[in-house]
Amino acid sequence: MSNGDRAGAHHTAIASSYTGRASAGADCDIDPRRFRDLLGRFATGVVAVTGYDPATGRPAGLAANSFTSVSLDPPLVGFCVAHTSSSWPLLRRSPGLAVSILGADQEHVCRRLAAKGGDKFAGLETGWSPLGTPIVAGALAWLDCRVEAEHSAGDHAIVVARVRRLTPGDATGADPAPLVFYRGTYGGFLPPA
C-alpha cells in the first residue's frame, strides 16, 4: 500500500468514526447546567440594549453577552434574548434600539439591566443617541439600530438588527478596556504589552 493509499484509508476511517459518533450522539441528553458551564469558557463582551416603550415613554433595557456582528453590507448585528425576558417585549415595541458597548468599569450597569423587575434605570447615567434612543453614558461605543428580524431558537430569540448610526463612546482614558464576561464573572481585558 502506498503512502497516498494509507493516507486515504486513514482519512476514510476518521470520517467513518466521526459519522458514527455524530449519529450516535444526535439523541444524547446534554445537561443544561453542564452545557452552560462549558460555554462559559468562551469569553464575551457585554452590551446594554436599550430603547423605550412608546406607550409610556419610559426607557427599557437589558444586558446581553450574546452580541455579535452579523453582516458588513448591510450593517447587521445580532443578540439573543431569553423567551422569559420581561424587558424584550417592551424593547420590541421601541421604534429604535441602542446598543451600548460596556467598558470594564460598567459592571454595575450590566448587573442593573440584567436584574428582574424594578426601575432598571434608577441611578444610571444615561443620555440620548442621535436618533433619539436612550443610551448608557460612559460606554465604549453606541450603535443606533432597528430590528430587522427575530427568530425563535430553543429557549431564546435571535434578534437581528440593522445598524443605522455609529457613535464613538465617551469612555474616559486613553484606551478604555471592555467589560468581559467569563465563567460567570466579570472582568476587563489587558492588551499585550
Side-chain angles (χ1 to χ4, degrees), residues 45-48 62-65 102-103 105-115 120 124 136 179 181 186:
V46 184
V47 299
L62 57 86
N65 72 326
L102 300 180
D105 61 344
Q106 294 184 302
E107 180 181 338
H108 67 286
V109 174
C110 175
R111 289 189 183 280
R112 176 63 66 94
L113 293 177
K120 294 185 176 192
L124 291 185
V136 175
L179 181 61
F181 186 70
Y186 296 96

Side-chain angles (χ1 to χ4, degrees), residues 86-100:
S86 58
S87 298
W88 178 240
L90 301 173
L91 287 167
R92 183 188 288 125
R93 293 194 298 255
S94 182
L97 299 176
V99 176
S100 299

Side-chain angles (χ1 to χ4, degrees), residues 10-138:
H10 178 70
H11 289 293
T12 302
I14 289 173
S16 296
S17 102
Y18 281 117
T19 304
R21 286 183 192 149
S23 61
D27 295 328
C28 68
D29 291 326
I30 295 178
D31 175 60
R33 183 64 203 183
R34 185 167 183 248
F35 184 55
R36 181 178 180 165
D37 289 346
L38 185 125
L39 292 181
R41 294 171 188 237
F42 179 67
T44 64
V46 184
V47 299
V49 180
T50 53
Y52 64 91
D53 181 352
T56 64
R58 293 179 51 97
L62 57 86
N65 72 326
S66 58
F67 178 75
T68 188
S69 61
V70 174
S71 168
L72 295 177
D73 187 16
L76 300 173
V77 294
F79 56 92
C80 297
V81 182
H83 289 308
T84 57
S85 170
S86 58
S87 298
W88 178 240
L90 301 173
L91 287 167
R92 183 188 288 125
R93 293 194 298 255
S94 182
L97 299 176
V99 176
S100 299
I101 300 173
L102 300 180
D105 61 344
Q106 294 184 302
E107 180 181 338
H108 67 286
V109 174
C110 175
R111 289 189 183 280
R112 176 63 66 94
L113 293 177
K116 298 228 184 268
D119 182 358
K120 294 185 176 192
F121 288 82
L124 291 185
E125 190 178 342
T126 59
W128 296 94
S129 75
L131 297 181
T133 308
I135 55 173
V136 175

